Amino acid sequence: MIKKRILVCKIIMLILFCNYQLEAQEKVFNGDPDESFKIARDLAFNGKRKQAQDSLRLILTKYPNYLDIRAFLASTYSWDGNYAQAREEFSRVLKRDKKRKNTWVAAINNELWADKPFKALELSKQAIISFPKDEDLIQLKAKSEFNSGDTEEAFVTINSVLELNPDNKKAIDYKESITNLLRNNAIGVSYSVDIYKNNDRDPMHYATINYSRSTKYGSITAKLNYSNRFSTDNYQYELDLYPRIVEGMYAYLSAGFSNSPLNPSVRYGAELYKSLPKSFEASLGIRGLKFSTTTLIYTGSVGWYTGNSYWVFRTYVTPNDAGSSKSGSIEYRKYGSDADNYFRVSAGFGISPELDRFVTNVGQDEIFQLDSQKINLGYYFSSKSKINAWGFSANFYREEKPFSPGDYFLYTSLGVSYRVRFK
């Protein structure tokens, strides 16, 4: 009985061993590697990446040093976002043959896509040892330096490409994009005029001159605002900050001062912005306006980025003895090549404290309780060099008269702006 059991166990073990051998044999490639490689490439380029990778790995079981196949396998991993697997395969290829420019390019791009700019920079330096005057590899080095935060070194590196070939279009464009970012300073001017229907009021004029500077901590803008309303000249000095806090979070801080009769003597603002999943952004903040007393306004917004479009809804709530007054607006922007090129349209209701269009001899509570509607249009664009930028706006208002409730002013505001960037 015991002998029979031993015999049965041996037979089972033999069957399992034979099956293992058969499976192992099936996993060893047997065919024309060149033809199979061609078929696998076609699969990969037609969206059947998993089948292509299975075929490539199978060929490598018999031809592990077929470097074209291993490099292509690494590229498919990189396309799929499997950057660590791609890195391993690229490394195996380059250890055996450092004279493969296309593999260096793919390996460096793999690190850039993986958001590993320092690894990309190290690879680009190694690649340039083998290809000391290769324009593509030097430009990838510039991109790696730029992504590592060394903008000025990237500028020097891209210049070396143009020393080799002044007509290199890709290098010219990339140098221009870096140059734009090195222009951290800007001066701008704007002007607008309010024109009232039936000449209910004299035209009101507004102008601003501003200086701004971008830093790694955020941007800072100093403004001198001027207005002529009710035959009175008004001046206001303002400072705006947009400090970066952490990735996906920044703030808005503002302070303004004026000794003009139609402006608040002090105005200030603070707001916190936070990126959210699904390309949403939200903010909460406060504004303060000091006339004879201080009025506090609470504000918040929800924005959504989708493709080249941006939607944002903003509301203001102003508590007072007569009950909280509310205003809101919704805006849509359609962007072109960058943030300097876009069209916007917005609609809103209620008085916005962002506008200093306050009238004299009227109480603050009355101002914020006024009924109001508006439609705003704007078009903004820049020069090809991105040095100069212009803007045009046309805004339409229906605003309740503070001294005659139920009656309305109808007026149009037309505006133009210009900004120049420099180092």
Side-chain angles (χ1 to χ4, degrees), residues 5 27 54 134 175 243 300:
R5 288 180 179 176
K27 290 182 179 179
D54 290 340
D134 188 273
K175 178 184 176 180

Side-chain angles (χ1 to χ4, degrees), residues 193-213:
V193 58
D194 292 350
I195 303 171
Y196 285 79
K197 185 178 180 181
N198 301 324
N199 297 317
D200 286 343
R201 282 177 174 170
D202 291 336
M204 298 188 183
H205 304 271
Y206 304 83
T208 295
I209 181 169
N210 64 74
Y211 164 74
S212 62
R213 178 172 175 80

